Amino acid sequence: MMNLDTAWQTALDRVKTWARVNSPWLLHYNTGSCNGCDIEILATLTPRFDLERFGVKLQGSPRHADILVCTGPVTLQSRDRLLRIYEQMPEPKFVAAIGSCAISGGVFQGCYNIVGHIDEVIPVDVYVPGCPPRPEAIADGIIKLLHSLQVAEAGRGTE
Amino acid sequence: MDVEKDLMIAESLLEIHAPSFNHPEPHRLDVEIETGDLLDGARVLVNSGWGYLSAVTGLDLGVEAGEFEVLYHFCAREAVTTLRVRVPRVGGVVPSLFQVIPSAGFYERELAEMFGITVEGAPDSSRLFLPDAWPEGVYPLRKDYEISDSGN
Amino acid sequence: MPGGAAVLPPTPGILISDGESNMHDANETFIIPIGPQHPALKEPGHFQFSVDGEVVTGASVRLGYVHRGIEKATEARNWVQNLYLLERICGICSHIHAMAYCLGVERLAGVEVPPRAQAIRVLTAELERVHSHLLWLGVAAHEAGFDTLFMYSWRDRETVMDALENLSGNRVHYSVNVLGGVKYDVDEPRAQAIFAVVDFLEERTRHYLNVVSSDAMFVQRTRGIGVTSKEQSLRLGEIGPTARAAGVPRDVRVEAPYAAYGAYPVEIILETAGDLEARFIVRINELFESYRLIRAILGDLPEGPLTVQRMPRKIPAGETISRVEAPRGELFYFIKSNGTDRPERIKVRTPTLCNLASVVALAPGHHLADIPMLLVGVDPCFSCNDRGVILDYPDGEHDHWTWDKLRQFAIDHYRNR
């Protein structure tokens, strides 16, 4: 069984390296979740886990976001807004689906008011399972995405 | 005991409007009431300061039974008094309690959109929970609206 | 354009989302197809306020963004599956939902849950209340622009998350309940760990109480704001800390004790001012009361089994009502069984629905800058960070703001006073 502390330290070192190059801005959107995943996402940015010190920032505008961090089973009412937010994000853009509901609908599969998978509405780049996933897991997912972003940046030339 | 006293007070307040009482559990009073007497029943509880409207439950008694039942749950400390009205599945109407109980508005909107029961005199009958794109005339909590089993 | 498309103003809450005055964006028009069923589609905005100058004259709410159709789903799942579904109505107060459900089903089944299990349920419920109130304190601080307090309270909250994880293996959705009892036991090391958490948090909470009642900027945003008299509170049917802040002694743990609250009685926490400050004071004092309860339970945990011997798969037909005190107020469950292994009907009335009704009724007459704190004062479902706000003006014009913009407007308004 992996030692959580070691894994966490390794992950943090990778973020530090990456963040010197770029400072990813996250946009958080809840498509109808129970808030479990959302509070763990917020916890990732508070002092104990503190992704913020590496420049990972949560902010409010799709226009400035690199990564859309998405929770919830996509209720019908939130579906269109999700699509519009995604469309407003500039390239390169990435989507992280956080939690079982975002991936498959979770316990809400079969409910009448949900779409059930975020990837039925927008493309998803990283899936972080859990109900909810713990902050370390969420951070790990974001870090994997950051590497994709770095690769994309390197291959882009002038912007 | 406080709860017995509270229930007795509720009974005496509602006697005039209710043909039948029932105690399904020791702390509960069920009162079957006609829709025509519902507003008066609610008013008499509110005016005497007997508890508060805590929830409104809609029940579909089934396509064969042809009726819905609407339960108005009033809570006073430990005691719960439920006013129960029956309405037909087609064209069912209940009066709005909004005049007497301002917070009833949300509960009534939910009842209407989930069952298709008309709440007469409601100040706002727009949808509360169902999305704008939800088709008219489709009421999810009715028994004949079917959903799939959990993801199997 | 075929299909009934029309030219409409831009979607609210999306374009004007970075707080700048985007006159260009506000005048852009879009072609948005309108479906046949809704010729006059109202743009979704969680809140709609009519404003005259900067005073709110009317308020309404549009929910549905988190509506999943859970009540219907319970009818397609068995009693055990429903435990895990209903827990997930809310990630902040998951345990209290499960507890309300279990208490009701156990009553229908006619089983008597052993006292040790009921005590552990209450212990978990109080730990949950602590995490929820600390979470709320941080969110409320953030609304007022006090991000330092937000960070501190969420950092401190991690200790109670640790305690819950220690007890159950999960930080959120602890699933302590099973039908007929609990899954997890509290042994001596766990008890000691929880005592340590409570000791630490008690000291921190004294600090928060001090900040909330003496910091000038905070007091300016809360003292005398959103005042509700006891009579008004009763008429609005308020519940939970909001009602208690107006002097209404309403607390299900006290008035209708359930689970083990008979053995560990709760002292009701009341204030009389009925303003926002009172709502803060009540919740902080409830933290102290929860610490006391947690210590009392751990110091006197009854011996015995954790579950009943046997829990039937099919629950006898009948109806029951289960009322419990969630951190936000009374949670109401109506459960009807038809004698099978699936429920006939489960009705859940969350405290937030009740509290929202009171905020909507209270808003008119208040300055727009007080709306964020008024809402946070009733501790609503917080994660709607994409809440759109529609402002209607007397001349028929309207604006679309994001909640972020409204929050910043309020912070700036008070800073410039």
PDB file of all heavy atoms in Angstrom, chain B residues 137-150:
ATOM      1  N   GLY B 137     -47.327  18.608 -18.464  1.00  0.00           N
ATOM      2  CA  GLY B 137     -48.202  17.449 -18.349  1.00  0.00           C
ATOM      3  C   GLY B 137     -47.503  16.166 -17.932  1.00  0.00           C
ATOM      4  O   GLY B 137     -48.128  15.105 -17.893  1.00  0.00           O
ATOM      5  N   VAL B 138     -46.224  16.246 -17.619  1.00  0.00           N
ATOM      6  CA  VAL B 138     -45.515  15.046 -17.154  1.00  0.00           C
ATOM      7  C   VAL B 138     -45.162  15.254 -15.683  1.00  0.00           C
ATOM      8  O   VAL B 138     -44.433  16.184 -15.342  1.00  0.00           O
ATOM      9  CB  VAL B 138     -44.220  14.814 -17.972  1.00  0.00           C
ATOM     10  CG1 VAL B 138     -43.481  13.598 -17.443  1.00  0.00           C
ATOM     11  CG2 VAL B 138     -44.556  14.634 -19.441  1.00  0.00           C
ATOM     12  N   TYR B 139     -45.695  14.396 -14.823  1.00  0.00           N
ATOM     13  CA  TYR B 139     -45.554  14.597 -13.387  1.00  0.00           C
ATOM     14  C   TYR B 139     -44.768  13.436 -12.782  1.00  0.00           C
ATOM     15  O   TYR B 139     -45.297  12.331 -12.624  1.00  0.00           O
ATOM     16  CB  TYR B 139     -46.944  14.760 -12.755  1.00  0.00           C
ATOM     17  CG  TYR B 139     -47.731  15.872 -13.427  1.00  0.00           C
ATOM     18  CD1 TYR B 139     -48.817  15.594 -14.260  1.00  0.00           C
ATOM     19  CD2 TYR B 139     -47.360  17.211 -13.267  1.00  0.00           C
ATOM     20  CE1 TYR B 139     -49.515  16.619 -14.899  1.00  0.00           C
ATOM     21  CE2 TYR B 139     -48.051  18.236 -13.898  1.00  0.00           C
ATOM     22  CZ  TYR B 139     -49.119  17.938 -14.713  1.00  0.00           C
ATOM     23  OH  TYR B 139     -49.793  18.951 -15.351  1.00  0.00           O
ATOM     24  N   PRO B 140     -43.524  13.656 -12.450  1.00  0.00           N
ATOM     25  CA  PRO B 140     -42.627  12.555 -12.102  1.00  0.00           C
ATOM     26  C   PRO B 140     -42.999  11.725 -10.884  1.00  0.00           C
ATOM     27  O   PRO B 140     -42.672  10.549 -10.821  1.00  0.00           O
ATOM     28  CB  PRO B 140     -41.270  13.224 -11.870  1.00  0.00           C
ATOM     29  CG  PRO B 140     -41.436  14.659 -12.099  1.00  0.00           C
ATOM     30  CD  PRO B 140     -42.830  14.957 -12.459  1.00  0.00           C
ATOM     31  N   LEU B 141     -43.679  12.301  -9.897  1.00  0.00           N
ATOM     32  CA  LEU B 141     -43.965  11.495  -8.717  1.00  0.00           C
ATOM     33  C   LEU B 141     -45.241  10.665  -8.837  1.00  0.00           C
ATOM     34  O   LEU B 141     -45.595   9.933  -7.920  1.00  0.00           O
ATOM     35  CB  LEU B 141     -43.991  12.358  -7.441  1.00  0.00           C
ATOM     36  CG  LEU B 141     -42.598  12.663  -6.888  1.00  0.00           C
ATOM     37  CD1 LEU B 141     -42.687  13.543  -5.641  1.00  0.00           C
ATOM     38  CD2 LEU B 141     -41.849  11.393  -6.543  1.00  0.00           C
ATOM     39  N   ARG B 142     -45.911  10.771  -9.958  1.00  0.00           N
ATOM     40  CA  ARG B 142     -47.059   9.885 -10.182  1.00  0.00           C
ATOM     41  C   ARG B 142     -46.549   8.467 -10.380  1.00  0.00           C
ATOM     42  O   ARG B 142     -45.488   8.250 -10.946  1.00  0.00           O
ATOM     43  CB  ARG B 142     -47.840  10.313 -11.422  1.00  0.00           C
ATOM     44  CG  ARG B 142     -48.599  11.597 -11.230  1.00  0.00           C
ATOM     45  CD  ARG B 142     -49.559  11.824 -12.371  1.00  0.00           C
ATOM     46  NE  ARG B 142     -50.319  13.052 -12.154  1.00  0.00           N
ATOM     47  CZ  ARG B 142     -51.362  13.392 -12.879  1.00  0.00           C
ATOM     48  NH1 ARG B 142     -51.766  12.621 -13.874  1.00  0.00           N
ATOM     49  NH2 ARG B 142     -51.998  14.524 -12.625  1.00  0.00           N
ATOM     50  N   LYS B 143     -47.347   7.504  -9.947  1.00  0.00           N
ATOM     51  CA  LYS B 143     -46.944   6.103 -10.023  1.00  0.00           C
ATOM     52  C   LYS B 143     -46.809   5.622 -11.467  1.00  0.00           C
ATOM     53  O   LYS B 143     -46.060   4.697 -11.753  1.00  0.00           O
ATOM     54  CB  LYS B 143     -47.947   5.201  -9.274  1.00  0.00           C
ATOM     55  CG  LYS B 143     -47.876   5.339  -7.768  1.00  0.00           C
ATOM     56  CD  LYS B 143     -46.543   4.852  -7.229  1.00  0.00           C
ATOM     57  CE  LYS B 143     -46.501   4.972  -5.719  1.00  0.00           C
ATOM     58  NZ  LYS B 143     -45.216   4.541  -5.141  1.00  0.00           N
ATOM     59  N   ASP B 144     -47.555   6.234 -12.383  1.00  0.00           N
ATOM     60  CA  ASP B 144     -47.462   5.783 -13.774  1.00  0.00           C
ATOM     61  C   ASP B 144     -46.338   6.457 -14.541  1.00  0.00           C
ATOM     62  O   ASP B 144     -46.182   6.246 -15.733  1.00  0.00           O
ATOM     63  CB  ASP B 144     -48.812   5.934 -14.505  1.00  0.00           C
ATOM     64  CG  ASP B 144     -49.366   7.341 -14.396  1.00  0.00           C
ATOM     65  OD1 ASP B 144     -48.784   8.169 -13.681  1.00  0.00           O
ATOM     66  OD2 ASP B 144     -50.407   7.607 -15.031  1.00  0.00           O
ATOM     67  N   TYR B 145     -45.530   7.262 -13.868  1.00  0.00           N
ATOM     68  CA  TYR B 145     -44.304   7.771 -14.478  1.00  0.00           C
ATOM     69  C   TYR B 145     -43.207   6.825 -14.046  1.00  0.00           C
ATOM     70  O   TYR B 145     -42.896   6.734 -12.865  1.00  0.00           O
ATOM     71  CB  TYR B 145     -44.016   9.198 -14.012  1.00  0.00           C
ATOM     72  CG  TYR B 145     -42.726   9.745 -14.561  1.00  0.00           C
ATOM     73  CD1 TYR B 145     -42.679  10.336 -15.832  1.00  0.00           C
ATOM     74  CD2 TYR B 145     -41.533   9.659 -13.843  1.00  0.00           C
ATOM     75  CE1 TYR B 145     -41.499  10.829 -16.350  1.00  0.00           C
ATOM     76  CE2 TYR B 145     -40.353  10.149 -14.358  1.00  0.00           C
ATOM     77  CZ  TYR B 145     -40.340  10.729 -15.611  1.00  0.00           C
ATOM     78  OH  TYR B 145     -39.168  11.208 -16.125  1.00  0.00           O
ATOM     79  N   GLU B 146     -42.638   6.104 -14.979  1.00  0.00           N
ATOM     80  CA  GLU B 146     -41.681   5.074 -14.588  1.00  0.00           C
ATOM     81  C   GLU B 146     -40.254   5.490 -14.856  1.00  0.00           C
ATOM     82  O   GLU B 146     -39.950   6.090 -15.882  1.00  0.00           O
ATOM     83  CB  GLU B 146     -41.996   3.767 -15.333  1.00  0.00           C
ATOM     84  CG  GLU B 146     -43.168   3.059 -14.670  1.00  0.00           C
ATOM     85  CD  GLU B 146     -43.596   1.808 -15.417  1.00  0.00           C
ATOM     86  OE1 GLU B 146     -42.764   1.213 -16.108  1.00  0.00           O
ATOM     87  OE2 GLU B 146     -44.784   1.459 -15.303  1.00  0.00           O
ATOM     88  N   ILE B 147     -39.380   5.112 -13.921  1.00  0.00           N
ATOM     89  CA  ILE B 147     -37.945   5.304 -14.139  1.00  0.00           C
ATOM     90  C   ILE B 147     -37.289   3.940 -14.092  1.00  0.00           C
ATOM     91  O   ILE B 147     -37.863   2.978 -13.607  1.00  0.00           O
ATOM     92  CB  ILE B 147     -37.304   6.222 -13.083  1.00  0.00           C
ATOM     93  CG1 ILE B 147     -37.489   5.651 -11.674  1.00  0.00           C
ATOM     94  CG2 ILE B 147     -37.868   7.616 -13.176  1.00  0.00           C
ATOM     95  CD1 ILE B 147     -36.673   6.355 -10.625  1.00  0.00           C
ATOM     96  N   SER B 148     -36.052   3.886 -14.589  1.00  0.00           N
ATOM     97  CA  SER B 148     -35.356   2.605 -14.590  1.00  0.00           C
ATOM     98  C   SER B 148     -34.839   2.302 -13.194  1.00  0.00           C
ATOM     99  O   SER B 148     -34.697   3.192 -12.368  1.00  0.00           O
ATOM    100  CB  SER B 148     -34.187   2.662 -15.569  1.00  0.00           C
ATOM    101  OG  SER B 148     -33.275   3.641 -15.129  1.00  0.00           O
ATOM    102  N   ASP B 149     -34.518   1.051 -12.974  1.00  0.00           N
ATOM    103  CA  ASP B 149     -33.904   0.672 -11.707  1.00  0.00           C
ATOM    104  C   ASP B 149     -32.479   1.229 -11.655  1.00  0.00           C
ATOM    105  O   ASP B 149     -31.922   1.601 -12.666  1.00  0.00           O
ATOM    106  CB  ASP B 149     -33.865  -0.851 -11.577  1.00  0.00           C
ATOM    107  CG  ASP B 149     -35.230  -1.392 -11.208  1.00  0.00           C
ATOM    108  OD1 ASP B 149     -36.169  -0.586 -11.134  1.00  0.00           O
ATOM    109  OD2 ASP B 149     -35.356  -2.607 -11.021  1.00  0.00           O
ATOM    110  N   SER B 150     -31.877   1.226 -10.488  1.00  0.00           N
ATOM    111  CA  SER B 150     -30.578   1.865 -10.299  1.00  0.00           C
ATOM    112  C   SER B 150     -29.491   1.256 -11.173  1.00  0.00           C
ATOM    113  O   SER B 150     -28.846   0.302 -10.801  1.00  0.00           O
ATOM    114  CB  SER B 150     -30.164   1.754  -8.841  1.00  0.00           C
ATOM    115  OG  SER B 150     -30.254   0.399  -8.432  1.00  0.00           O
TER     116      SER B 150
END
